[in-house]
Amino acid sequence: MTTRVTLTGTGVPHPAPGRAGAGTLVRSGDLALQFDAGRSTVMRLVEAGVAPYALDALFLTHIHSDHLADVADLAMTRWIQDMLHPSGPLTIVCPEGQCTRFVDEMFDPFAVDIALRAGHAHHGPLEVDRRAFAATREPTEVWRSPDGSVHVEAVLVHHEPVEEAVAYRVTTPDGVVVISGDTRVCAEVEHLARGCDVLVHEVCRATAMREVIRGTAFEQIFEYHADAVALGGLAERAEVGHLLLTHLIPQPTTAAEAEAFAADVRAGGYRGAVTVGEDLTTVTVVRRSEEHTSELQSHSFISYAVFCLKKK
C-alpha cells in the first residue's frame, strides 16, 4: 500500500492563475480522503485522477468560503455521477456548529435544479452523510476506515475570530499526515504533528512583510495565519519529516518568490525536507523507523504534558 498527499488547491481568497481554492487529497491504496474543498476542487480532483464518486470522505477544517466554495458542487457532481457509478451520499466530516449549519443549508440555492434533475433523470434524493464531532483542544478520533487501517483525528487550532477551526492527523499503514487547515502557529498543531511524516501547513510571510503591512488591514489578517519563520521552528521541534507548504500568503508568481517561503522556514530552524506547494504537487509518504517513531511518541507525551501545565 502507498500513501500519497496531493495539494488540490494552494490559493487564498484572492484568485490567482493556476491556484485553486484550499484543499488536500490523501490517498492510501484505493482509499481517497479530501480535506477542504475551495473553488475548483472538483476539477483538480479529476486532474489528480480521483472522480467525486471515488471519494471515501470529505473533511472540513472551518467555515471560511475559500475552504468551502466547492463542497456543494462536489456533493452534487457525485450525485449526478451515481447513475453510472453508484457510490451513495458523500460522507462529510466536520466540527459541530458553523460548518454543520453550512452543510445543512448548502443545497438551498440549487433547489430548483435538484428537483428538475431528480424528476427528469430518476435520481434518488440528494443527500450527504454528515458526521459532526465536538472539536476539543486534545486530539480526538473522528473517522476510521471500514477495515480499520486508516484513522483520522482532529484538534482545535487558533484561527480566531473563527472559533471552530480544526487540524487533522491521518494515520495510514505507510505513515502519518497532518493537515493544519488555517491557523496561527500553535502548540496544538505542534503536538498533533509530533513525528509525522508529512505536515501540510498553511503559511504566511508575516515576518518578512511586517513593515510593508504595518498599519494596513493585512496586519490584522496576518495575525491569524502561520508565520513562515515561526512555522520553521514548530516543524523542527516536532521533528516533522517533510513540510509541505500551502495556502501561500502572498501567492508567489516566480521561482524566487516561492523560494523565499522556504528560506523563511529555514530561518526558523527547520532542517527537514520542505516543498513550496503548487496545485497538484504530490508527495509520497515514507515512514521512518519504528525506533525513531517510539522515541518521538515519548517526546510527544512529555511535550504535551508541559503544554497542559502551562495552560493551567
Side-chain angles (χ1 to χ4, degrees):
M1 188 177 293
T2 300
T3 298
R4 289 168 292 165
V5 181
T6 298
L7 300 180
T8 57
T10 57
V12 296
H14 297 274
R19 294 193 184 274
T24 302
L25 172 67
V26 178
R27 286 172 282 187
S28 178
D30 295 329
L31 189 75
L33 307 178
Q34 177 68 23
F35 295 81
D36 284 337
R39 65 169 70 97
S40 299
T41 292
V42 170
M43 300 308 297
R44 285 289 186 265
L45 278 171
V46 173
E47 290 166 352
V50 178
Y53 66 80
L55 279 181
D56 291 274
L58 168 67
F59 299 79
L60 304 180
T61 63
H62 67 293
I63 194 64
H64 273 149
S65 61
D66 56 315
H67 293 252
L68 301 178
D70 235 24
V71 176
D73 186 25
L74 186 57
M76 289 190 294
T77 302
R78 180 188 180 98
W79 176 61
I80 292 169
Q81 292 178 324
D82 194 68
M83 293 179 63
L84 299 175
H85 305 279
S87 57
L90 176 65
T91 295
I92 301 179
V93 183
C94 61
E96 290 177 349
Q98 298 160 341
C99 280
T100 53
R101 288 193 294 273
F102 169 82
V103 172
D104 290 344
E105 299 170 0
M106 68 182 180
F107 295 135
D108 291 355
F110 304 98
V112 173
D113 173 59
I114 291 168
L116 288 170
R117 292 183 187 276
H120 178 69
H122 306 290
H123 287 289
L126 173 55
E127 300 173 335
V128 296
D129 175 18
R130 176 172 65 70
R131 304 184 188 182
F133 61 88
T136 66
R137 295 291 173 195
E138 295 187 24
T140 303
E141 183 174 307
V142 297
W143 185 88
R144 182 174 287 265
S145 63
D147 66 0
S149 65
V150 176
H151 67 272
V152 180
E153 299 165 274
V155 70
L156 275 171
V157 296
H158 292 277
H159 192 45
E160 291 87 357
V162 178
E163 296 181 353
E164 298 160 5
V166 299
Y168 291 102
R169 179 181 175 103
V170 187
T171 301
T172 81
D174 303 302
V176 175
V177 179
V178 172
I179 298 103
S180 72
D182 279 4
T183 179
R184 301 175 179 88
V185 170
C186 65
E188 288 83 354
V189 172
E190 185 170 335
H191 169 59
L192 195 70
R194 175 70 58 185
C196 74
D197 301 287
V198 178
L199 170 59
V200 181
H201 208 297
E202 70 127 281
V203 64
C204 175
R205 297 198 67 217
T207 294
M209 300 185 67
R210 182 176 292 123
E211 296 305 317
V212 176
I213 65 171
R214 189 180 299 279
T216 71
F218 289 104
E219 188 172 25
Q220 184 177 11
I221 292 170
F222 282 21
E223 286 181 357
Y224 55 81
H225 288 286
D227 173 58
V229 177
L231 177 57
L234 178 152
E236 181 65 18
R237 290 190 301 273
E239 301 190 52
V240 169
H242 191 149
L243 179 59
L244 181 54
L245 303 177
T246 189
H247 199 279
L248 308 162
I249 307 173
Q251 297 178 101
T253 58
T254 67
E257 290 174 355
E259 179 56 32
F261 283 90
D264 285 353
V265 167
R266 296 298 187 204
Y270 183 58
R271 295 173 293 174
V274 58
T275 298
V276 182
E278 298 179 356
D279 285 22
L280 299 180
T281 292
T282 298
V283 169
T284 300
V285 176
V286 178
R287 183 186 288 278
R288 284 167 286 177
S289 71
E290 291 298 324
E291 181 180 353
H292 183 60
T293 302
S294 178
E295 290 175 358
L296 290 172
Q297 289 173 342
S298 176
H299 188 190
S300 174
F301 176 80
I302 295 170
S303 297
Y304 193 60
V306 171
F307 163 68
C308 290
L309 287 171
K310 286 181 178 179
K311 293 284 282 186
K312 291 179 180 180

